[in-house]
Amino acid sequence: MDPTTDIRHHIGGSWADAGTGRTYDKLDPWSGAVFARVAAGDADDARLAVDAAAAAAPAWAGTPPGRRQEIFLRAAEALRQRHAEIRRMLAAETGCGAHFAEVQLDFCVNLLRQAAGLAYAATGQILPSDLDGTRALAVRRPVGVVAAIAPWNASLVLAGRAVVAPLAVGNTVVLKPSEEAPRTGGALWAELLAGAGLPPGVLNVITHAPGEAGAVASALIADHRVRRISFTGSTVTGRRLAELAGRHLKRAVLQLGGHNPLLVLADADLDHAVSAAVYGAFVHSGQTCMCARRILVDRSLAAAFTARFVQRAAALPVGDPSDPATVIGPVINEWALSLLTRRVREAVDLGAELLTGGVPAGRCFPPTVLRGVPPAAELAFDETFGPVVLIEETDGVRDAVDRANSSGFGLTAGVLTSDPYRGLDLARRLQAGIVHVNDQPVHDEPQMPFGGVKDSGAGRFGMGFAAEEFTETQWVTTRADPRSYPF
């Protein structure tokens, strides 16, 4: 496989073309040049991948922990040694800048190292029984085949998270990356883990052309051998997948969209609040599910905060993601650029005040700040992937919490206050799966219970919680002596 121009399926340990022979061109979001020619798979390819995963499942589930540990540690070291190469790959494939590329790489090295430790985690417990002479156990067993569906935006992290935890607890995986990140969100993981010694068929990767994800995903979910679905992506798509999984009585772990609030309380340190808000709103060009979409600032600080925040936002460097100085790179494609433009224009037409940005600059959308966005505008209630943030003035803590909780989403939130105990109390009142006190909403670690509530999903990702999500608990009893029965 040519890693720069040719991305193929990985099935049963071998690289393969799509069964139809079709391909598509994945473009560099900055230059518009062809990044790679990619296999355009379909439902038949997906079924072949499940065949391979199902065949490999029994042996992988029985692999000794020391062997699994060696594989994950070797993969971690290979990833660490390829930092510079993969940084360039992330920039060319997804427009990822240097800072966020390092965030992704560091996360994934730690993810693999933690997976190595998970190989030796306890897999059950002894339970008390009221039946004399009976010993009862609760034992966790791998589910078998996991279908992992990953997005493009934090491609390395989100594909790695979808794959590594299920593998670490003894499952095999079929990974379907986004058509916008078939390399860093798909083929690269197969390459790394196979090179580290992962047996054939344990991880399989199927790619597809734009607009053709539904057929591949549906084939994976409908296959009776697939017992768990891991999905990260939009709420609209997640709802469809959950409905399909429900029809097949399959559990889906879903991390969906966010419309995340950052609460700036009256006692917050103004300098820290501005710095935190700039980072939280504009890291990775605003193209992460965790980004602050709404800044809810107390009216007493609003004028000073807004003036400083807008000045900082407008000065952020925009341009080539391969330049280490760039903060705002290109959005992923032309559709995303047009959506941002349309939604900002709609908000302004409905009466919002545009404080900076709002007009595309080539393939980039500059940092954009709006105030007074009316509730009817799409920016006010729907997740908008890009460097766009709304400022709302609030009247005290109760108003801030009520506004934060008014969203249908509930992924993550930040609370900035000089009183951390007050922040902890507010965390209890906020309807979000994740709350960062005295920090902005963008933060994750491999071992943490990452996930949302309401329209932001169900279940928790994180290495420490993989056993709960990607195994089945089996109740086993044993007796040394025969029971006596009443008849």
Side-chain angles (χ1 to χ4, degrees), residues 381-413:
F381 61 82
D382 202 2
E383 180 179 46
T384 302
F385 248 47
V388 177
V389 67
L390 319 183
I391 292 180
E392 301 177 32
E393 297 183 5
T394 60
D395 295 307
V397 173
R398 177 175 294 180
D399 183 40
V401 171
D402 288 346
R403 286 173 182 258
N405 288 342
S406 67
S407 172
F409 295 97
L411 182 57
T412 182

Side-chain angles (χ1 to χ4, degrees), residues 16-284:
D17 294 327
T20 63
R22 293 190 306 125
T23 64
Y24 75 96
D25 289 340
K26 161 59 188 154
L27 304 182
D28 180 324
W30 169 248
S31 69
V34 174
F35 169 77
R37 184 177 60 253
V38 186
D42 59 17
D44 290 336
D45 296 309
R47 283 186 280 271
L48 289 174
V50 177
D51 289 345
W60 178 245
T63 299
R67 173 68 177 139
R68 289 191 208 166
Q69 186 177 72
E70 289 173 358
I71 292 168
F72 290 123
L73 288 176
R74 279 199 294 266
E77 181 59 19
L79 184 62
R80 190 190 66 79
Q81 291 183 359
R82 294 176 64 181
H83 257 51
E85 173 200 351
I86 296 172
R87 262 201 323 269
R88 293 191 295 271
M89 200 183 294
L90 285 164
E93 185 172 46
T94 67
C96 181
H99 166 74
F100 198 67
E102 285 296 334
V103 169
Q104 293 198 67
L105 283 157
D106 290 346
F107 180 101
C108 289
V109 169
N110 288 334
L111 176 74
L112 288 161
R113 289 172 176 166
Q114 289 186 25
L118 192 60
Y120 283 100
T123 57
Q125 56 183 317
I126 299 173
L127 304 175
S129 174
D130 285 327
L131 190 63
D132 283 344
T134 293
R135 293 184 179 181
L137 307 172
V139 182
R140 289 196 175 274
R141 308 286 192 198
V143 299
V145 180
V146 173
I149 301 173
W152 59 265
N153 57 312
S155 55
L156 192 70
V157 163
L158 297 179
R161 186 182 71 178
V163 164
V164 172
L167 292 177
V169 294
N171 300 295
T172 57
V173 177
V174 178
L175 170 64
K176 187 205 79 62
S178 166
E179 66 273 19
E180 296 288 0
R183 177 72 173 152
T184 54
L188 177 62
W189 279 104
E191 181 186 323
L192 282 168
L193 287 163
L198 192 72
V202 176
L203 172 61
N204 308 273
V205 178
I206 298 295
T207 56
H208 60 82
E212 298 180 7
V216 175
S218 295
L220 292 174
I221 295 170
D223 195 303
H224 71 277
R225 297 166 297 178
V226 172
R227 298 312 310 161
R228 193 75 90 242
I229 295 97
S230 167
F231 174 79
T232 300
S234 73
T235 296
V236 171
T237 303
R239 186 172 282 115
R240 291 196 206 104
L241 291 181
E243 290 172 355
L244 181 58
R247 289 204 294 274
H248 293 279
L249 297 178
K250 295 181 183 180
R251 182 170 163 188
V253 185
L254 306 170
Q255 191 251 290
L256 309 178
H259 201 248
N260 311 304
L262 174 60
L263 284 64
V264 183
L265 305 189
D267 62 348
D269 177 88
L270 188 58
D271 290 336
H272 176 237
V274 171
S275 294
V278 169
Y279 183 86
F282 301 119
V283 63
H284 192 34

